[in-house]
Amino acid sequence: MEDIVEDFLELVQIDAASGNERGVADAVKAKLEALGLAVEEDDAGASFGGNAGNLLAVLDGGLPGSILLNAHMDRVANGLGIEPQIKDGLIVSDGTTILAADDLSGVAALIDSVRRLQACGQKFPRVEYLFTVGEEAGLLGSKAFDTSRLRAKVGYAFDSPGRLGRVVCAAPGQVSLTVEVAGKAAHAGNCPEEGVNAVTALAKILATIRDGRLDPESTANFAVLDCGTKVTNIVQSYAVCRGEMRSRNDAALSAYVEYFERHCREAASGTGAAVKTTVTPQYESFSFDEDAPVIQAALAALRDMGAEAQVNGGGGGMDANVFNAAGIGVVGVATGYSGNHGISERIVLDDLRRAGELAERIVLSWADMGGLPE
Ligand SMILES: [Zn+2]
């Protein structure tokens, strides 16, 4: 079995979650150190109650310029006790858990690229390997990472769904949206006319708000409802709903935020309830043209491998959003997984086998293209 497949199978069987990456981080560190790399761990975990930090390791290839290769070590819930199986050209779980190919396939690909670059016999730019924690909990590890430690101005996040060959050139920005409604409590049987029902006022707001797919680049979702009590004999004085809006178009994002605030006020007017909205930016969008060098280097690598390339935008945020906001041009690279975040998650075995080679060839294609921005 290839090293990359072995590493992948080993890593997914180490229990982990966002904030509980210790076992995976120790295994990744040991593998990199066995390859002769020095690994530094930061204290990002402490910023969100986690037990591991981001890992940074550098591989010097003798050419000027640096390139960032990134993957995350955490996974979404239902990722304990994973029993991976190879079946019909795929790796799947036993059907009761996720597979955690998101993103241990990326982690395994990056480790494999170290082995390959060390053996390639060519000079290449300096590679900064960054393995993050807390990605699935809101990009917490990358947000806590001190990007001034990086020299790279371009990079690749090996963390996108789709077949090997897909390059994600754009990802949405996201804001968290909260609407709180304050009414007035009263006994529901004795004097309901003295109360103002926050629940029905909130229902009015939600019944008429534009959500779901807003346009080809934008979505909104209101998902969490709460009013603090569980009794029916009081006219409810408080209700809250939390949601999110994402868009690859920054103008659409600000327009929706304005609409959200106005709609909440207007829909509840006449109910007597007071409305408070809170908008919290989570991360910024990014977008690259297909002729951007960061995309062209990936396309050249895919051409060398005879893999079919596909460049398009994604619907999720990732560590790349954080790096782009910090001025490092990072795009997403697919490793062959699909159905991530659910029990049907799978990865195409042949794609995984070649994901390390793709990382290697991307680095080498920068050398062919005449170097990297310093
Ligand atoms: Zn991921």
Side-chain angles (χ1 to χ4, degrees):
M1 191 180 287
E2 297 87 345
D3 290 337
I4 187 171
V5 179
E6 247 172 48
D7 281 346
F8 174 76
L9 295 175
E10 178 192 331
L11 291 170
V12 301
Q13 290 179 77
I14 301 171
D15 284 350
S18 298
N20 180 24
E21 300 90 349
R22 188 72 265 157
V24 171
D26 287 342
V28 170
K29 205 184 257 188
K31 286 176 189 296
L32 294 170
E33 285 171 350
L35 291 167
L37 269 60
V39 184
E40 287 175 39
E41 179 171 347
D42 70 7
D43 57 0
S47 69
F48 61 96
N51 62 8
N54 303 304
L55 304 182
L56 177 64
V58 173
L59 178 63
D60 208 322
L63 288 184
S66 300
I67 180 168
L68 171 67
L69 295 181
N70 156 249
H72 66 85
M73 299 187 287
D74 64 317
R75 61 189 76 163
V76 294
N78 196 19
L80 307 180
I82 294 173
E83 293 187 23
Q85 5 216 302
I86 298 178
K87 231 195 221 162
D88 305 325
L90 301 171
I91 306 178
V92 297
S93 74
D94 66 0
T96 64
T97 67
I98 60 161
L99 177 63
D102 175 4
D103 184 30
L104 293 167
S105 60
V107 172
L110 266 44
I111 294 169
D112 196 48
S113 75
V114 176
R115 279 189 289 260
R116 288 171 170 278
L117 286 164
Q118 286 175 331
C120 75
Q122 297 177 49
K123 287 194 169 188
F124 53 88
R126 186 173 167 278
V127 187
E128 297 175 321
Y129 288 95
L130 179 58
F131 300 89
T132 54
V133 291
E135 197 269 356
E136 300 287 4
L139 316 182
L140 300 178
S142 56
K143 282 179 180 173
F145 181 76
D146 174 8
T147 51
S148 73
R149 294 171 64 199
L150 300 174
R151 286 193 223 159
K153 290 283 168 273
V154 295
Y156 300 84
F158 275 63
D159 181 29
S160 294
R163 293 298 304 268
L164 190 95
R166 179 174 185 231
V167 179
V168 175
C169 60
Q174 186 181 322
V175 290
S176 295
L177 304 170
T178 301
V179 50
E180 291 173 282
V181 180
K184 188 169 170 246
H187 192 286
N190 292 343
C191 51
E193 46 282 286
E194 287 173 19
V196 175
N197 192 329
V199 168
T200 51
L202 180 59
K204 276 191 173 173
I205 292 171
L206 295 178
T208 48
I209 201 161
R210 285 195 293 119
D211 65 353
R213 166 74 57 196
L214 302 169
D215 66 53
E217 297 180 310
S218 312
T219 58
N221 185 43
F222 293 89
V224 181
L225 280 171
D226 194 14
C227 57
T229 68
K230 301 265 185 263
V231 298
T232 62
N233 62 356
I234 304 169
V235 175
Q236 181 57 259
S237 64
Y238 177 78
V240 59
C241 178
R242 291 200 306 277
E244 58 154 64
M245 190 273 181
R246 334 176 163 211
S247 182
R248 295 200 291 269
N249 179 336
D250 289 337
L253 203 141
S254 1
Y256 188 84
V257 164
E258 224 170 83
Y259 157 78
F260 164 74
E261 292 170 330
R262 189 179 61 242
H263 171 83
C264 292
R265 277 196 316 273
E266 288 177 1
S269 73
T271 63
V275 171
K276 184 184 167 209
T277 53
T278 310
V279 176
T280 314
Q282 295 298 316
Y283 47 83
E284 292 172 35
S285 67
F286 69 85
S287 181
F288 291 89
D289 292 332
E290 196 159 332
D291 56 9
V294 66
I295 306 273
Q296 286 303 313
L299 295 181
L302 289 163
R303 251 192 324 271
D304 288 345
M305 294 173 72
E308 198 182 319
Q310 193 195 347
V311 180
N312 53 36
M318 50 178 162
D319 283 341
N321 292 68
V322 176
F323 302 132
N324 277 294
I328 306 166
V330 177
V331 296
V333 173
T335 54
Y337 66 73
S338 58
N340 48 317
H341 298 192
I343 56 171
S344 68
E345 184 181 8
R346 63 197 52 215
I347 186 163
V348 177
L349 182 57
D350 272 337
D351 286 3
L352 174 64
R353 280 188 176 126
R354 300 204 295 166
E357 184 187 347
L358 176 56
E360 174 201 13
R361 284 184 187 266
I362 285 175
V363 174
L364 294 177
S365 67
W366 276 101
D368 295 345
M369 282 167 41
L372 278 147
E374 281 286 336

Coordinates of all heavy atoms in Angstrom, one line a residue, residues 91-147:
I91 N -12.6 4.9 -0.5 CA -12.5 4.7 0.9 C -13.7 5.3 1.6 O -14.1 6.4 1.3 CB -11.2 5.3 1.5 CG1 -10.0 4.8 0.7 CG2 -11.1 4.9 3.0 CD1 -8.7 5.4 1.2
V92 N -14.4 4.5 2.4 CA -15.6 4.9 3.0 C -15.5 4.6 4.5 O -14.6 3.9 4.9 CB -16.9 4.2 2.4 CG1 -17.1 4.6 1.0 CG2 -16.8 2.7 2.6
S93 N -16.5 5.1 5.3 CA -16.5 4.7 6.7 C -17.4 3.4 6.8 O -17.8 2.9 5.8 CB -17.1 5.8 7.6 OG -18.5 5.9 7.4
D94 N -17.6 3.0 8.0 CA -18.5 1.8 8.1 C -20.0 2.2 8.1 O -20.9 1.4 8.3 CB -18.2 1.0 9.4 CG -18.6 1.8 10.7 OD1 -19.1 2.9 10.6 OD2 -18.4 1.2 11.8
G95 N -20.2 3.5 7.8 CA -21.6 3.9 7.6 C -22.3 4.5 8.9 O -23.4 5.0 8.9
T96 N -21.5 4.5 10.0 CA -22.0 5.0 11.2 C -21.3 6.3 11.6 O -21.8 7.1 12.5 CB -21.9 4.1 12.4 OG1 -20.5 3.8 12.7 CG2 -22.6 2.7 12.1
T97 N -20.2 6.6 11.0 CA -19.5 7.9 11.3 C -19.1 8.6 10.0 O -19.3 8.0 8.9 CB -18.1 7.5 12.0 OG1 -17.2 6.9 11.1 CG2 -18.3 6.7 13.2
I98 N -18.6 9.8 10.1 CA -17.9 10.4 9.0 C -16.7 9.7 8.6 O -16.2 8.8 9.4 CB -17.6 11.9 9.3 CG1 -16.6 12.0 10.5 CG2 -18.9 12.7 9.5 CD1 -15.9 13.4 10.5
L99 N -16.0 10.1 7.5 CA -14.7 9.4 7.2 C -13.5 10.3 7.6 O -12.4 9.8 7.9 CB -14.7 9.2 5.7 CG -13.4 8.6 5.1 CD1 -13.1 7.2 5.7 CD2 -13.4 8.5 3.6
A100 N -13.8 11.6 7.7 CA -12.7 12.6 8.0 C -11.7 12.7 6.9 O -10.5 13.2 7.2 CB -12.0 12.3 9.4
A101 N -12.1 12.4 5.7 CA -11.2 12.7 4.5 C -11.1 14.2 4.5 O -10.1 14.8 4.0 CB -11.8 12.2 3.3
D102 N -12.1 14.9 4.9 CA -12.1 16.4 5.2 C -11.6 16.5 6.6 O -12.4 16.4 7.5 CB -13.5 16.9 5.0 CG -13.6 18.4 5.4 OD1 -12.6 19.0 5.7 OD2 -14.8 18.9 5.4
D103 N -10.3 16.7 6.9 CA -9.4 17.0 5.9 C -8.1 16.2 6.0 O -7.0 16.7 5.7 CB -9.1 18.5 6.0 CG -8.2 19.0 4.9 OD1 -8.2 18.4 3.8 OD2 -7.4 20.0 5.1
L104 N -8.2 15.0 6.5 CA -7.0 14.2 6.7 C -6.4 13.7 5.4 O -5.3 13.4 5.3 CB -7.3 13.0 7.7 CG -7.5 13.6 9.1 CD1 -8.1 12.6 10.0 CD2 -6.3 14.3 9.7
S105 N -7.2 13.8 4.3 CA -6.7 13.5 3.0 C -5.7 14.6 2.6 O -4.6 14.4 2.1 CB -7.8 13.4 1.9 OG -8.5 14.6 1.9
G106 N -6.1 15.9 3.0 CA -5.2 17.0 2.8 C -3.9 16.9 3.6 O -2.8 17.1 3.1
V107 N -4.1 16.5 4.9 CA -2.9 16.3 5.7 C -2.0 15.2 5.2 O -0.8 15.4 5.1 CB -3.4 15.9 7.2 CG1 -2.2 15.5 8.0 CG2 -4.2 17.1 7.8
A108 N -2.6 14.1 4.8 CA -1.7 13.0 4.2 C -1.1 13.4 2.9 O 0.1 13.1 2.6 CB -2.6 11.8 4.0
A109 N -1.8 14.2 2.1 CA -1.2 14.7 0.8 C 0.1 15.6 1.1 O 1.1 15.5 0.4 CB -2.2 15.5 0.0
L110 N -0.1 16.5 2.1 CA 1.0 17.4 2.4 C 2.2 16.6 2.9 O 3.4 16.8 2.5 CB 0.6 18.4 3.4 CG 0.1 19.7 2.8 CD1 -0.8 19.6 1.6 CD2 -0.5 20.7 3.8
I111 N 2.0 15.6 3.8 CA 3.1 14.8 4.3 C 3.8 14.0 3.2 O 5.0 14.0 3.1 CB 2.6 13.8 5.4 CG1 2.1 14.6 6.6 CG2 3.7 12.8 5.8 CD1 1.3 13.7 7.7
D112 N 2.9 13.5 2.3 CA 3.5 12.8 1.1 C 4.3 13.7 0.2 O 5.3 13.2 -0.3 CB 2.3 12.2 0.3 CG 2.8 11.1 -0.7 OD1 3.5 10.2 -0.2 OD2 2.4 11.2 -1.8
S113 N 3.9 15.0 0.1 CA 4.7 15.9 -0.7 C 6.0 16.1 -0.1 O 7.0 16.4 -0.9 CB 3.9 17.2 -1.0 OG 3.9 18.0 0.2
V114 N 6.2 16.1 1.2 CA 7.5 16.2 1.8 C 8.4 15.1 1.3 O 9.5 15.4 0.8 CB 7.4 16.2 3.3 CG1 8.8 16.3 3.9 CG2 6.6 17.3 3.9
R115 N 7.9 13.9 1.4 CA 8.7 12.7 1.0 C 9.1 12.9 -0.5 O 10.2 12.6 -0.9 CB 7.9 11.4 1.1 CG 7.8 10.8 2.5 CD 7.2 9.5 2.5 NE 5.7 9.6 2.2 CZ 4.8 9.5 3.2 NH1 5.2 9.3 4.4 NH2 3.5 9.5 2.9
R116 N 8.1 13.3 -1.3 CA 8.4 13.4 -2.8 C 9.4 14.5 -3.1 O 10.2 14.3 -4.0 CB 7.0 13.6 -3.5 CG 6.1 12.4 -3.5 CD 4.8 12.8 -4.0 NE 4.0 11.6 -4.2 CZ 4.1 10.8 -5.3 NH1 4.9 11.1 -6.3 NH2 3.3 9.7 -5.4
L117 N 9.2 15.6 -2.5 CA 10.1 16.8 -2.8 C 11.5 16.4 -2.4 O 12.5 16.8 -3.1 CB 9.6 18.0 -2.1 CG 8.3 18.7 -2.8 CD1 7.7 19.7 -1.9 CD2 8.7 19.3 -4.1
Q118 N 11.6 15.7 -1.2 CA 13.0 15.4 -0.8 C 13.7 14.4 -1.7 O 14.9 14.4 -1.8 CB 12.9 14.7 0.6 CG 12.6 15.7 1.7 CD 12.4 15.1 3.1 OE1 11.9 13.9 3.2 NE2 12.7 15.8 4.2
A119 N 12.9 13.6 -2.5 CA 13.4 12.6 -3.3 C 13.5 13.1 -4.8 O 13.9 12.3 -5.7 CB 12.6 11.3 -3.2
C120 N 13.0 14.3 -5.1 CA 12.7 14.6 -6.5 C 14.0 15.0 -7.3 O 14.0 15.0 -8.5 CB 11.7 15.8 -6.7 SG 12.4 17.4 -6.2
G121 N 15.1 15.3 -6.5 CA 16.4 15.6 -7.2 C 16.4 17.0 -7.9 O 17.3 17.2 -8.7
Q122 N 15.4 17.8 -7.6 CA 15.4 19.2 -8.2 C 15.4 20.2 -7.1 O 15.0 19.9 -6.0 CB 14.1 19.4 -9.1 CG 14.0 18.4 -10.3 CD 12.6 18.7 -10.9 OE1 12.3 19.8 -11.2 NE2 11.9 17.6 -11.2
K123 N 15.7 21.4 -7.5 CA 15.6 22.5 -6.6 C 14.2 23.0 -6.6 O 13.5 23.0 -7.7 CB 16.6 23.7 -6.9 CG 18.0 23.3 -6.6 CD 18.9 24.6 -6.6 CE 20.2 24.2 -6.0 NZ 21.1 25.4 -5.9
F124 N 13.7 23.5 -5.5 CA 12.3 24.1 -5.5 C 12.3 25.2 -4.4 O 13.2 25.3 -3.6 CB 11.3 23.0 -5.2 CG 11.6 22.1 -4.0 CD1 11.2 22.5 -2.7 CD2 12.4 21.0 -4.1 CE1 11.5 21.8 -1.6 CE2 12.7 20.2 -2.9 CZ 12.2 20.6 -1.7
P125 N 11.2 26.0 -4.5 CA 11.1 27.1 -3.5 C 10.9 26.5 -2.1 O 10.5 25.4 -1.9 CB 9.9 27.9 -3.9 CG 9.4 27.3 -5.2 CD 10.1 26.0 -5.4
R126 N 11.1 27.3 -1.1 CA 10.9 27.0 0.3 C 9.4 26.7 0.5 O 8.6 27.5 0.1 CB 11.4 28.2 1.1 CG 11.4 28.1 2.6 CD 12.0 29.4 3.1 NE 11.8 29.5 4.5 CZ 10.7 30.0 5.0 NH1 9.7 30.4 4.3 NH2 10.5 30.0 6.4
V127 N 9.1 25.6 1.2 CA 7.7 25.3 1.4 C 7.3 25.4 2.9 O 8.0 24.9 3.8 CB 7.3 23.8 1.0 CG1 5.8 23.6 1.1 CG2 7.8 23.6 -0.5
E128 N 6.3 26.2 3.2 CA 5.8 26.4 4.6 C 4.6 25.5 4.7 O 3.6 25.7 4.1 CB 5.5 27.8 4.8 CG 6.8 28.7 4.7 CD 6.5 30.2 4.9 OE1 5.4 30.7 4.4 OE2 7.3 30.9 5.5
Y129 N 4.7 24.5 5.5 CA 3.6 23.5 5.8 C 2.9 24.0 7.0 O 3.5 24.1 8.1 CB 4.1 22.1 6.0 CG 4.6 21.5 4.7 CD1 6.0 21.5 4.4 CD2 3.7 20.8 3.9 CE1 6.4 20.8 3.2 CE2 4.1 20.2 2.7 CZ 5.5 20.2 2.4 OH 5.9 19.6 1.2
L130 N 1.6 24.3 6.9 CA 0.8 24.7 8.1 C -0.4 23.8 8.3 O -1.3 23.8 7.4 CB 0.4 26.2 7.9 CG -0.4 26.8 9.0 CD1 0.3 26.7 10.4 CD2 -0.8 28.2 8.7
F131 N -0.4 23.1 9.4 CA -1.5 22.2 9.7 C -2.3 22.9 10.8 O -1.7 23.1 11.9 CB -1.0 20.9 10.2 CG -0.2 20.2 9.1 CD1 1.2 20.4 9.0 CD2 -0.8 19.3 8.2 CE1 2.0 19.7 8.1 CE2 0.0 18.7 7.3 CZ 1.4 18.9 7.2
T132 N -3.5 23.2 10.6 CA -4.3 24.0 11.5 C -5.2 23.2 12.4 O -5.6 22.1 12.1 CB -5.1 25.1 10.8 OG1 -5.9 24.5 9.8 CG2 -4.3 26.1 10.2
V133 N -5.7 23.8 13.5 CA -6.7 23.2 14.4 C -8.0 24.1 14.3 O -7.9 25.2 13.8 CB -6.2 23.2 15.9 CG1 -5.0 22.2 16.0 CG2 -5.8 24.6 16.3
G134 N -9.1 23.5 14.8 CA -10.3 24.3 14.9 C -10.9 24.8 13.7 O -11.8 25.8 13.7
E135 N -10.6 24.3 12.5 CA -11.1 24.9 11.2 C -12.6 24.7 11.2 O -13.3 25.7 10.8 CB -10.4 24.2 10.0 CG -10.6 24.9 8.7 CD -11.8 24.5 7.9 OE1 -12.5 23.6 8.3 OE2 -12.0 25.1 6.9
E136 N -13.1 23.6 11.5 CA -14.5 23.3 11.4 C -15.4 24.0 12.4 O -16.6 24.1 12.3 CB -14.8 21.8 11.5 CG -14.1 20.9 10.5 CD -14.7 21.0 9.1 OE1 -15.6 21.8 8.9 OE2 -14.2 20.3 8.2
A137 N -14.7 24.6 13.4 CA -15.5 25.3 14.4 C -15.5 26.8 14.1 O -15.9 27.6 15.0 CB -14.9 25.1 15.8
G138 N -15.1 27.2 12.9 CA -15.1 28.6 12.5 C -13.7 29.2 12.2 O -13.5 30.3 12.5
L139 N -12.9 28.3 11.6 CA -11.5 28.8 11.2 C -10.7 29.3 12.4 O -10.0 30.3 12.3 CB -11.6 29.9 10.1 CG -12.7 29.6 9.0 CD1 -12.6 30.7 7.9 CD2 -12.5 28.2 8.3
L140 N -11.0 28.7 13.6 CA -10.4 29.3 14.8 C -8.9 29.2 14.9 O -8.2 30.1 15.4 CB -11.0 28.6 16.0 CG -12.5 28.7 16.1 CD1 -13.1 27.9 17.3 CD2 -13.0 30.1 16.2
G141 N -8.3 28.1 14.4 CA -6.9 27.9 14.4 C -6.2 28.9 13.5 O -5.2 29.6 13.9
S142 N -6.6 29.0 12.3 CA -6.0 30.0 11.3 C -6.2 31.4 11.8 O -5.3 32.2 11.6 CB -6.5 29.8 9.9 OG -7.9 29.9 9.8
K143 N -7.4 31.7 12.4 CA -7.6 33.1 12.9 C -6.6 33.4 14.0 O -6.2 34.5 14.2 CB -9.0 33.2 13.4 CG -10.0 33.4 12.3 CD -11.4 33.5 12.8 CE -12.5 33.7 11.7 NZ -13.8 33.7 12.3
A144 N -6.3 32.4 14.8 CA -5.3 32.6 15.9 C -3.9 32.5 15.5 O -3.0 32.9 16.3 CB -5.6 31.6 17.0
F145 N -3.6 32.1 14.3 CA -2.2 31.9 13.8 C -1.6 33.3 13.5 O -2.3 34.1 12.9 CB -2.2 31.0 12.6 CG -0.8 30.8 12.1 CD1 0.1 29.9 12.7 CD2 -0.3 31.4 10.9 CE1 1.4 29.7 12.3 CE2 0.9 31.2 10.5 CZ 1.8 30.4 11.1
D146 N -0.4 33.5 13.9 CA 0.3 34.7 13.6 C 0.9 34.6 12.2 O 2.0 34.0 11.9 CB 1.4 34.9 14.6 CG 2.3 36.1 14.3 OD1 2.0 36.9 13.4 OD2 3.4 36.3 15.0
T147 N 0.2 35.2 11.2 CA 0.6 35.0 9.8 C 1.9 35.8 9.5 O 2.5 35.5 8.4 CB -0.5 35.5 8.8 OG1 -0.9 36.8 9.1 CG2 -1.7 34.6 8.8

